[in-house]
Amino acid sequence: MNKPIPAPDAPQPIPGARLLFSNDASVAQLNHGSFGMVPIAVQRAQQRLRDEMEANPHRFFSVGLEERITHVRRHLATFVGADPDGSALVNNASTGTSIVLSSLGLAADDEIVTTDHGYGAVDLAVDEICRRTGAVHRVAPVPLVADDATVTAAVLAAITPRTRLVIVDLITAATAQVFPVRRIIEAVRAAHGERVAIHIDAAHGPGLLDEPVRELDADFWVGNLHKWAYAPRGTALLAVAPAWRARIRPLVLSWSTEAGFPASLEWLGAHDYTPWLAAPTGLFVLRSLGLETVRRHNTALAEHGRRLVADALGVEVLPATGLPMTLVPLPPGVAADLTSAVALRRRISDELSAEVGLAAWHGRGYLRLSAQVYNRVDDFQRLADGLPKLIR
């Protein structure tokens, strides 16, 4: 058993922050990174929009809606440092990635490069487009703990003369690692110029890291606002470089298809637009608490909590990443494949009243624990107290 490393001091709660959310306090909600948690003020803003829509649907959809969507897009794009005219609102990061894949015009033997830390739904989308077009999916293996140079070298090594697209995570979903996307983009550009397009999957980026999109020089970037920016679920932003905007095609054709990007992606007919329209209220809540205050609190609490859980399990403590979403290895043989990982996550929910992220990666199970302003040390302590007995 590894010698335990004392957990760093837990941060003081942000006064009043817990009251801003309506989550069930009897459940240790330690999986904010998956579905987020919508503040009460944002829920109410969205409900007012729903009421407006239902009071007169014809007027809601036909008078001024496109202008309202444009206003929200400009607000959210400014927050992440993207070009508002080169961005489009989409439902989530997976939707944005599927739009990119379907717009590339792939042919047989073209290649798409991802890493073995990529999000499962993105891998499925890549495999499906390869099946339909004859393209090839190449996966760059990256160690769980790797410095920036190692990650960059691994991606470069997977690129061949047939590579059309590289997809890199800003923050990896399963393994909660920060990838050096700026360095990777610069290295790919230096080696291959504009021949290889680069797509940044920043599903966890908005609200979590300062990564101004316009300075990255990526061809495509997509990020969710519902995870760490307090927007309603179903709110994401896809940013596209100027050279690609005319080639972007929506997954579903509607009345604005001929208007081109971004309207062709944003107008979906009788779609529920209330998550998008309420999203700026989420940014207002985040800024009212203080963006840096929230980040410092959540990161410190996550670090404290993962040390508690790792100590209780007698497992190694991985290097800190400075994120409020952290990784704890499970003992060897526990949740080592997808089926057993799903089963253990459900048992943790049912028997410990705790919600966690749990993934099997390269034959080992990992807990992914998130901290948010509504969490307390007791949430992590409950997991630390109950999980060792449960997995035995």
Side-chain angles (χ1 to χ4, degrees):
M1 183 177 293
N2 295 310
K3 183 178 179 180
I5 300 174
D9 292 339
Q12 290 297 313
I14 299 174
R18 194 171 194 174
L19 300 176
L20 300 177
F21 295 84
S22 60
N23 53 296
D24 185 350
S26 70
V27 178
Q29 305 277 1
L30 300 174
N31 193 22
H32 187 92
S34 282
F35 303 106
M37 193 75 70
V38 183
I40 295 170
V42 183
Q43 295 178 42
R44 290 175 176 169
Q46 186 179 8
Q47 188 57 51
R48 287 193 295 270
L49 289 160
R50 289 194 185 105
D51 292 342
E52 177 191 349
M53 176 173 60
E54 297 305 333
N56 190 339
H58 187 276
R59 182 173 183 82
F60 180 87
F61 285 100
S62 61
V63 180
L65 180 56
E66 292 183 33
E67 290 78 6
R68 295 169 79 176
I69 292 171
T70 298
H71 175 76
V72 168
R73 184 203 330 129
R74 290 185 177 280
H75 193 89
L76 301 184
T78 299
F79 177 70
V80 300
D83 176 5
D85 295 324
S87 304
L89 290 163
V90 294
N91 284 346
N92 54 33
S94 296
T95 300
T97 298
S98 291
I99 290 169
V100 169
L101 291 171
S102 67
S103 300
L104 289 174
L106 293 168
D109 297 325
D110 285 343
E111 294 177 351
I112 302 171
V113 170
T114 66
T115 76
D116 57 353
H117 293 250
Y119 185 52
V122 169
D123 287 337
L124 289 173
V126 171
D127 289 341
E128 173 61 17
I129 198 74
C130 288
R131 185 191 66 79
R132 297 205 316 257
T133 64
V136 177
H137 182 189
R138 291 175 58 84
V139 180
V142 178
L144 178 60
V145 179
D147 59 21
D148 290 356
T150 300
V151 178
T152 303
V155 172
L156 284 176
I159 297 173
T160 78
R162 294 184 178 275
T163 302
R164 291 282 310 283
L165 179 71
V166 173
I167 302 176
V168 181
D169 297 71
L170 173 62
I171 299 169
T172 63
T175 54
Q177 303 296 301
V178 181
F179 275 3
V181 295
R182 188 183 303 276
R183 181 167 177 171
I184 292 170
I185 292 169
E186 291 172 352
V188 173
R189 293 281 187 248
H192 302 281
E194 303 295 325
R195 181 184 67 80
V196 177
I198 303 168
H199 175 46
I200 301 302
D201 183 347
H204 292 272
L208 202 56
L209 294 180
D210 285 326
E211 197 71 41
V213 178
R214 66 168 54 90
E215 298 174 10
L216 282 180
D217 191 31
D219 297 278
F220 313 100
W221 177 101
V222 66
N224 290 322
L225 278 294
H226 75 260
K227 293 179 181 289
W228 301 97
Y230 295 164
R233 282 168 284 279
T235 307
L237 196 74
L238 172 65
V240 179
W244 285 95
R245 292 171 193 171
R247 287 182 270 181
I248 291 294
R249 294 292 178 267
L251 299 177
V252 178
L253 302 184
S254 191
W255 290 106
S256 291
T257 297
E258 296 304 317
F261 181 87
S264 61
L265 301 188
E266 292 177 338
W267 182 251
L268 301 169
H271 177 72
D272 184 2
Y273 299 96
T274 62
W276 298 355
L277 299 180
T281 305
L283 295 186
F284 176 80
V285 173
L286 182 58
R287 286 166 169 151
S288 297
L289 290 171
L291 181 58
E292 289 306 320
T293 298
V294 169
R295 287 173 174 170
R296 286 194 300 269
H297 169 275
N298 293 347
T299 298
L301 182 57
E303 182 63 19
H304 179 89
R306 79 173 181 127
R307 293 290 181 93
L308 289 178
V309 176
D311 184 15
L313 293 175
V315 297
E316 68 268 32
V317 176
L318 298 175
T321 60
L323 296 176
M325 190 169 69
T326 62
L327 206 64
V328 177
L330 291 171
V334 177
D337 57 61
L338 178 60
T339 300
S340 56
V342 170
L344 178 58
R345 179 173 54 79
R346 289 175 176 168
R347 287 191 63 202
I348 292 172
S349 178
D350 293 342
E351 300 178 34
L352 301 181
S353 292
E355 302 297 346
V356 301
L358 209 155
W361 191 77
H362 288 274
R364 187 163 185 183
Y366 292 89
L367 283 172
R368 195 193 70 186
L369 304 177
S370 299
Q372 189 48 267
V373 296
Y374 52 74
N375 288 124
R376 297 291 183 267
V377 174
D378 290 348
D379 295 328
F380 293 91
Q381 191 63 59
R382 178 190 306 184
L383 191 63
D385 291 342
L387 187 56
K389 299 174 186 177
L390 190 148
I391 63 176
R392 282 199 297 268

